[in-house]
Amino acid sequence: MNAIRSSLRMLLGKRPPAMQVAAICLDRTSGKVLLISSRGTGRWVVPKGWPMAGRTLHGAAAQEAWEEAGIKGKIRATEVGRYRYDKTQDVGFAFPVEVRVFLLEVEHVADDFPEVRQRRREWFFPGQAAELVDERGLQDILRALPDKTACSDAAARCNKDTHDGG
């Protein structure tokens, strides 16, 4: 019976969303995250792609960070969140995708990487990055990250206020 229901859901368009993985590349020193331009529209996104055979989900996300942004680092095995979006195909239709997001602490930024000629990359504080991406769920994940912009003008006072209970 379950097989029949699953088949009917797929035929009627109620199948579960496809899954992708993404990496939020975080520079711990500055507190900034990396956004890259999408190849199709040029809008700001995080590195993401499809799961890969022989790799864990977080391992695939780390591989996407390398291929799309030239970033290497330590990736956490635990998701920091999930979001959904509709992936538009070249032929004009779209399908739902659920993206599982992993945090990657940046250790190396390469000048040469597989998609260097296809993308732009730029660092933003998490709150700024959230304003630039289109996906509401990704905005929420980015806003949940610590944002050092509040400390940029008065670092000593901010550090004292936020870490000393003030």
Side-chain angles (χ1 to χ4, degrees):
M1 189 60 137
N2 284 339
I4 294 170
R5 278 191 205 141
S6 294
S7 296
L8 283 173
R9 281 190 198 121
M10 288 175 62
L11 288 172
L12 298 174
K14 295 194 183 234
R15 65 180 191 182
M19 180 185 39
Q20 288 189 313
V21 294
I24 292 181
C25 303
L26 175 66
D27 176 6
R28 284 280 182 206
T29 304
S30 69
K32 291 182 176 182
V33 296
L34 184 73
L35 295 182
I36 59 173
S37 60
S38 69
R39 288 188 295 191
T41 62
R43 63 189 179 83
W44 290 114
V45 297
V46 295
K48 70 177 180 304
W50 302 106
M52 299 173 187
R55 290 188 189 265
T56 61
L57 294 178
H58 63 280
Q63 183 64 30
E64 292 296 338
W66 164 249
E67 291 175 7
E68 296 183 356
I71 300 296
K72 297 264 186 180
K74 291 180 184 173
I75 192 149
R76 295 185 186 172
T78 305
E79 297 173 23
V80 294
R82 295 180 183 189
Y83 69 94
R84 290 183 181 218
Y85 78 105
D86 289 329
K87 183 163 184 63
T88 304
Q89 297 299 291
D90 293 337
V91 292
F93 71 91
F95 63 93
V97 176
E98 180 180 76
V99 182
R100 297 180 185 200
V101 183
F102 300 88
L103 190 67
L104 185 148
E105 294 183 24
V106 176
E107 295 177 336
H108 177 73
V109 180
D111 292 328
D112 188 30
F113 53 95
E115 296 184 16
V116 67
R117 288 174 181 71
Q118 300 170 35
R119 300 182 185 273
R120 296 183 336 265
R121 62 183 181 183
E122 195 167 328
W123 296 93
F124 300 95
F125 288 107
Q128 296 170 311
E131 297 299 320
L132 295 170
V133 298
D134 289 343
E135 298 84 4
R136 182 170 303 271
L138 180 56
Q139 292 171 351
D140 294 342
I141 293 168
L142 289 165
R143 285 189 183 110
L145 295 174
D147 195 327
K148 291 187 177 183
T149 55
C151 296
S152 61
D153 293 331
R157 194 195 78 191
C158 180
N159 192 33
K160 181 180 184 329
D161 290 349
T162 58
H163 299 293
D164 294 341

